Amino acid sequence: MQLMIQTFHKYSGNEGDKYTLSRAELKEMLTAELGNYLGNAQDREAVDKVMGDLDSNNDGEVDFTEFVILVGALTVACNDFFLEYNDKGENKEDKKK
Ligand SMILES: [Ca+2]
Ligand SMILES: [Ca+2]
């Protein structure tokens, strides 16, 4: 949680409103933090898409509430990935957790 907040503020304070991510700030964050995951975050269309998905109130900025939705969505995506990965594995019976 703390890390999420720190990450958000690391980028949100770069320009304009300190508490929201502009498109440029969002792009910078995606590229720096999630470059491996998104791969083509530098692609303008990809940034626009993420921005459109996140900016639920359409004010052109991603606030912290909207950012949390992104993190949640990515967490779910990662979880699905790992579940799938494990299923294709050796069918270990000693699943941890
Ligand atoms: Ca900002
Ligand atoms: Ca917004």
Side-chain angles (χ1 to χ4, degrees):
M1 265 323 204
Q2 180 104 25
L3 184 66
M4 271 170 52
I5 296 166
Q6 280 173 359
T7 303
F8 182 84
H9 287 291
K10 189 162 119 192
Y11 297 96
S12 68
N14 287 350
E15 67 172 27
D17 191 321
K18 275 187 170 180
Y19 303 105
T20 62
L21 293 169
S22 65
R23 182 192 304 273
E25 289 165 343
L26 177 71
K27 179 180 173 179
E28 201 182 328
M29 186 185 77
L30 291 174
T31 306
E33 306 291 333
L34 299 168
N36 293 333
Y37 188 78
L38 293 176
N40 59 348
Q42 288 160 17
D43 186 339
R44 198 190 150 83
E45 276 184 26
V47 175
D48 282 350
K49 185 180 184 310
V50 173
M51 189 84 194
D53 286 349
L54 289 183
D55 187 16
S56 49
N57 63 359
N58 290 314
D59 63 356
E61 302 262 324
V62 175
D63 62 29
F64 190 70
T65 308
E66 291 164 346
F67 171 71
V68 168
I69 295 167
L70 166 71
V71 174
L74 288 174
T75 306
V76 170
C78 286
N79 189 46
D80 287 349
F81 174 80
F82 284 118
L83 288 179
E84 202 169 306
Y85 181 82
N86 284 338
D87 283 348
K88 286 174 185 167
E90 300 163 40
N91 288 326
K92 288 174 185 167
E93 285 184 21
D94 58 337
K95 279 181 186 169
K96 284 168 188 173
K97 280 182 193 175

